[in-house]
Amino acid sequence: MLQAELEVPKPLEELSEEELDRKRAMSRVMTFTLHYLTSELVSRGFEWLLPVIFSRSTDPLWPDPSASIEKRIELEIYGQTVRVTLSMIVHKMVACSLAYPKLFVLSPNVRIERRERARTGLHAYEFTQLDFEVREATSRQIMDLVEELFCGLLGALRKHMKEELRALGRYRTLRVPDRPFRVYDREELEARYGREWELYFPMSLSEPAWVVNIPREFYDYEDPETGRWDNYDLYLPGFGEVLSGARREWEYEKIVAKMERDGVRKDNYRVLLRLAREGRLKPSAGAGIGMERLVAWITGARHVAETQPFPRVPGVVYEL
């Protein structure tokens, strides 16, 4: 979101009655969005798993070129060191391989972002992802699924949430985009906009678009010959990235080599590595949608934390 720094959202108890009305409208849109997306996934044969809060293994979020995390939370329970969930990607890969070929989960994410991100409008230190994964799926299949869900959601919102969208000033501007969404290569965007392409690219969009081939963590598939990444992020016009996904690595030797290259501690991923070594980790693809970001864009919120009943703004700790 390329704009002047924003005021951070106020806590719930400090909102005026007019501001509370806006908060209620956003909440109704959030409720509708969650109901629509989860119902659609269930109707397509996905199983709804419950989330994990603490785990010995979680997303390393590394390498992290923007060094966005200020602090990683670890604590001891039952004599073991556990971490709060940064994302459930490791759990998704294991669950999808062993028991649930099509799954989704409303996953908690606790990422203590650097406090200078308080006014970007895009970051919260606690947020929820709608995470889903499909065994033996291709990237294109997941991208097609996302486009179907996204366009269906926007059409349903315009039909059933007219009053709320009008109150939020979004009914006239929120349109169902054409499919398929346009696809951009990250290398092309870097050549056009430079290293900060993520700031400028969304401002050029009039409809949602994909960005592919993004260097990322060890679990995204990387072609060992070409160095291209088989992954995809969805960007929204004037806003930014709302979804991140990929085809997954499942071969033991490749996963280990990437961990060693990137300095990722293998001890934190013993179950994943054992399954890969035994041939029990299966190919899959999936994605995670940031629910606060999605609803912020739908409702025209200036800050993602406006969509949270109790805002979680980097660097700001409210009483509730």
Side-chain angles (χ1 to χ4, degrees):
M1 192 179 295
L2 186 63
Q3 57 186 47
E5 286 195 343
L6 305 173
E7 293 296 322
V8 300
K10 294 186 288 188
L12 194 63
E13 68 275 12
E14 293 182 10
L15 297 179
S16 67
E17 199 56 43
E18 181 180 353
E19 290 169 329
L20 285 170
D21 285 341
R22 179 173 172 80
K23 195 86 163 181
R24 294 184 193 106
M26 287 184 177
S27 180
R28 290 192 290 272
V29 171
M30 175 69 83
T31 297
F32 185 93
T33 299
L34 287 167
H35 180 265
Y36 180 90
L37 294 176
T38 55
S39 296
E40 277 292 311
L41 289 172
V42 169
S43 74
R44 293 166 186 254
F46 283 75
E47 295 187 65
W48 191 341
L49 306 189
L50 295 176
V52 170
I53 307 297
F54 298 112
S55 177
R56 290 174 62 184
S57 183
T58 188
D59 192 334
L61 293 182
W62 185 261
D64 180 9
S66 59
S68 60
I69 303 299
E70 181 169 304
K71 181 178 181 179
R72 294 171 184 265
I73 299 177
E74 297 183 347
L75 66 155
E76 180 271 325
I77 55 175
Y78 308 123
Q80 298 285 340
T81 298
V82 298
R83 300 161 186 85
V84 295
T85 303
L86 294 170
S87 90
M88 281 186 62
I89 178 62
V90 175
H91 297 80
K92 281 199 309 175
M93 292 172 67
V94 170
C96 191
S97 295
L98 298 182
Y100 315 101
K102 297 172 72 175
L103 66 89
F104 73 93
V105 57
L106 287 167
S107 169
N109 288 246
V110 181
R111 302 183 185 178
I112 309 304
E113 301 275 2
R114 293 193 179 278
R115 59 197 70 201
E116 55 263 32
R117 289 190 161 190
R119 290 179 170 82
T120 64
L122 285 173
H123 297 95
Y125 66 81
E126 291 181 31
F127 62 94
T128 297
Q129 283 192 160
L130 177 57
D131 259 325
F132 53 95
E133 198 80 11
V134 181
R135 190 188 300 173
E136 304 288 352
T138 66
S139 290
R140 188 64 254 181
Q141 287 172 327
I142 298 298
M143 293 162 75
D144 286 343
L145 170 63
V146 169
E147 291 181 12
E148 290 175 16
L149 292 174
F150 196 84
C151 291
L153 170 64
L154 294 184
L157 284 164
R158 286 185 55 79
K159 181 177 180 180
H160 299 289
M161 290 276 110
K162 289 182 181 179
E163 181 180 339
E164 288 79 5
L165 292 175
R166 286 187 174 125
L168 294 163
R170 281 291 278 154
Y171 184 74
R172 297 174 68 87
T173 56
L174 192 67
R175 300 293 178 188
V176 179
D178 294 330
R179 293 184 56 206
F181 298 172
R182 187 168 175 181
V183 179
Y184 295 83
D185 190 288
R186 180 263 317 168
E187 292 180 348
E188 166 195 348
L189 297 177
E190 283 188 350
R192 183 185 306 177
Y193 298 109
R195 297 186 65 179
E196 294 189 334
W197 63 268
E198 291 180 87
L199 294 175
Y200 299 99
F201 171 62
M203 305 307 146
S204 71
L205 297 175
S206 58
E207 292 198 332
W210 295 103
V211 178
V212 299
N213 185 30
I214 306 163
R216 214 143 48 198
E217 290 84 357
F218 68 85
Y219 47 73
D220 281 11
Y221 185 89
E222 182 183 7
D223 189 310
E225 295 183 2
T226 66
R228 289 186 59 82
W229 295 75
D230 191 0
N231 55 19
Y232 39 86
D233 285 2
L234 183 64
Y235 278 75
L236 300 178
F239 190 82
E241 180 255 314
V242 72
L243 172 148
S244 181
R247 178 186 172 203
R248 310 301 181 191
E249 296 282 12
W250 77 96
E251 297 174 288
Y252 176 76
E253 291 79 9
K254 286 187 65 181
I255 294 174
V256 169
K258 291 169 73 175
M259 285 181 169
E260 291 175 349
R261 177 191 69 187
D262 297 335
V264 174
R265 289 185 59 186
K266 286 178 284 196
D267 281 352
N268 292 341
Y269 304 97
R270 284 179 289 183
V271 170
L272 188 76
L273 289 171
R274 176 166 58 83
L275 292 174
R277 186 175 60 249
E278 295 171 355
R280 299 171 67 197
L281 193 65
K282 304 301 182 184
S284 68
I289 305 172
M291 293 307 305
E292 288 90 342
R293 284 191 179 184
L294 176 57
V295 172
W297 179 75
I298 290 170
T299 59
R302 288 176 57 79
H303 198 295
V304 293
E306 286 184 67
T307 68
Q308 298 175 317
F310 303 100
R312 294 297 188 250
V313 180
V316 182
V317 179
Y318 303 105
E319 184 171 344
L320 297 180

